[in-house]
C-alpha cells in the first residue's frame, strides 16, 4: 500500500506520567502508579508518532522531552467546564492554543495538526456550532503554518445532526472506539463517518482499558481490537491507529502483554 511498516502508522496517546492515576475522575479505577514517560513509551513500542494528550501541553519543553518522536499532533478542546459544573464553549482559549501551536510548529515541523478533542460530545453539548469552527479556520489561514484541524467524533454521536453540520469544517477526524465490546462494529462506524464527511482522513483510536464499561480488557479483547484496526489500515479506511495511552502502558494488564507480543509479531510488516 505505501511501503512503510505497520508500526510507522501507529500513534501513541502521549500522557504525563501518572496522569490518570492523579485525577479524581479516574483514581477510583484502581490503576497502579506509572513511571513511564512518552519518550520511554516510544522506546518500548517503537511507535514514534505521538498525539500530545493528558497533561502534556504543546510546549518546546514537551517536544524536547521526546526527541525520538517523528510526528506530533497537538490536542485541545473547544469547551470547558464552568465552576457550576456546566459545559460552555471557550472559543478564546481554543483560538489562543491554536495560535501558540502554529508558532511552535513553525520552529518544529514535527507538529503537523491540531485536534479538537471530545468535539462530538463535550463541545457539541456545550453549544459548539459551525460558526465557531469557521472562525478558527479563518484564524488558522491568516498566518503560517496552517495546521489541519482534526475533530474527535465518537460512535455514539454519528447520527447527531449538530455534528453533521460541523463536519465540513474539519480536515480529518480522530475516531475512537469507546466501548471495546463493540469492536466488530467499528468498521461500520468508520465507514459511516467517511460517508458523512465525504471520505475525509480518519485516525482510528483504541484503548488499553475499557473506559466505556470501566473494566480491564482481556487479552482476547485487545487482540480483536488490534486485528480489526489492522484490517482498517490495510484497507485504507484509516491513516493510522492511536493506542491510548502511555500512562497505562506499564500496568500489569493482559492488554499490555498482548500489545507487546503483537508488535513483536506484526510491527515490522509492510503495508
Amino acid at each position: 500500500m505505501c511501503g512503510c511498516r505497520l508500526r510507522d502508522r501507529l500513534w501513541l496517546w502521549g500522557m504525563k506520567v501518572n496522569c490518570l492515576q492523579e485525577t479524581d475522575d479516574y483514581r477510583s479505577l484502581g490503576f497502579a502508579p506509572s513511571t513511564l514517560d512518552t519518550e520511554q513509551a516510544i522506546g518500548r513500542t517503537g511507535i514514534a508518532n505521538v498525539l500530545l494528550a493528558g497533561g502534556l501541553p504543546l510546549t518546546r519543553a514537551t517536544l524536547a522531552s521526546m526527541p525520538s518522536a517523528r510526528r506530533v499532533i497537538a490536542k485541545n478542546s473547544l469547551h470547558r467546564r464552568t465552576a457550576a459544573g456546566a459545559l460552555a464553549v471557550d472559543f478564546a482559549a481554543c483560538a489562543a492554543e491554536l495560535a501558540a501551536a502554529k508558532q511552535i510548529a513553525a520552529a518544529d515541523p514535527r507538529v503537523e495538526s491540531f485536534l479538537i478533542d471530545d468535539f462530538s460530545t463535550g463541545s457539541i453539548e456545550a453549544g459548539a456550532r459551525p460558526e465557531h469552527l469557521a472562525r478558527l479556520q479563518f484564524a488558522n489561514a491568516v498566518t503560517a503554518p496552517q495546521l489541519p484541524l482534526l475533530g474527535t467524533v465518537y460512535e455514539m454521536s454519528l447520527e447527531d445532526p449538530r455534528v453533521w453540520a460541523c463536519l465540513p469544517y474539519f480536515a480529518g477526524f480522530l475516531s475512537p472506539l469507546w466501548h471495546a465490546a463493540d469492536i466488530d462494529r467499528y468498521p461500520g462506524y468508520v465507514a459511516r463517518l467517511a460517508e458523512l464527511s465525504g471520505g475525509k482522513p480518519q485516525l482510528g483510536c483504541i484503548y488499553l482499558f475499557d473506559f466505556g464499561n470501566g473494566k480491564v480488557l482481556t487479552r482476547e479483547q485487545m487482540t480483536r481490537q488490534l486485528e480489526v484496526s489492522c484490517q482498517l489500515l490495510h484497507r485504507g479506511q484509516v491513516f493510522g491507529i492511536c493506542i491510548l495511552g502511555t500512562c497505562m502502558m506499564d500496568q500489569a494488564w493482559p492488554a499490555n502483554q498482548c500489545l507487546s507480543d503483537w508488535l513483536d509479531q506484526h510491527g515490522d510488516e509492510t503495508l
Side-chain angles (χ1 to χ4, degrees), residues 50-53 58 72-76 97 101 111-116 147 150:
V50 179
L51 197 160
L52 292 181
L58 178 62
V72 174
I73 295 175
K75 179 184 85 70
N76 214 274
E97 291 294 336
V111 180
E112 62 179 50
S113 53
F114 186 88
L115 170 68
I116 300 178
L147 293 178
L150 309 179

Side-chain angles (χ1 to χ4, degrees), residues 117-233:
D117 199 26
D118 292 336
F119 179 80
S120 75
T121 50
S123 295
I124 287 292
E125 291 307 314
R129 297 296 180 263
E131 54 266 30
H132 296 112
L133 297 171
R135 289 168 61 197
L136 279 178
Q137 288 285 28
F138 184 86
N140 198 8
V142 167
T143 58
Q146 188 165 1
L147 293 178
L149 290 186
L150 309 179
T152 299
V153 176
Y154 290 94
E155 71 264 28
M156 62 283 261
S157 308
L158 286 172
E159 303 308 324
D160 187 336
R162 298 173 298 175
V163 174
W164 297 348
C166 296
L167 299 182
Y169 296 87
F170 290 106
F173 305 97
L174 180 76
S175 305
L177 180 68
W178 185 245
H179 292 93
D182 290 343
I183 183 59
D184 288 309
R185 300 179 184 177
Y186 190 40
Y189 301 149
V190 169
R192 178 58 173 155
L193 183 53
E195 177 186 13
L196 291 167
S197 69
K200 289 182 177 179
Q202 296 181 52
L203 175 61
C205 182
I206 57 176
Y207 295 75
L208 291 168
F209 183 84
D210 185 1
F211 286 101
N213 296 294
K215 295 180 179 179
V216 172
L217 289 165
T218 65
R219 185 180 180 93
E220 290 72 24
Q221 287 175 313
M222 190 65 196
T223 298
R224 189 60 184 153
Q225 284 196 113
L226 292 165
E227 288 174 346
V228 172
S229 298
C230 254
Q231 290 167 6
L232 294 173
L233 270 177

Side-chain angles (χ1 to χ4, degrees), residues 48-123:
N49 307 315
V50 179
L51 197 160
L52 292 181
L56 279 183
L58 178 62
T59 64
R60 288 178 173 82
T62 296
L63 293 173
S65 74
M66 51 184 74
S68 300
R70 289 200 299 265
R71 302 174 67 186
V72 174
I73 295 175
K75 179 184 85 70
N76 214 274
S77 64
L78 188 52
H79 65 278
R80 61 179 174 82
R81 195 167 291 279
T82 68
L87 292 174
V89 171
D90 195 343
F91 176 85
C94 189
E97 291 294 336
L98 175 59
K102 287 160 66 67
Q103 287 185 336
I104 291 176
D108 192 331
R110 293 181 297 171
V111 180
E112 62 179 50
S113 53
F114 186 88
L115 170 68
I116 300 178
D117 199 26
D118 292 336
F119 179 80
S120 75
T121 50
S123 295

Side-chain angles (χ1 to χ4, degrees), residues 8 10 12 22-23 53-54 61 78 110 114 116 122 141 155 160 163 243 253 260:
D8 296 331
L10 302 180
L12 294 175
E22 294 173 352
T23 64
L78 188 52
R110 293 181 297 171
F114 186 88
I116 300 178
E155 71 264 28
D160 187 336
V163 174
I243 312 293
W253 292 344
S260 178

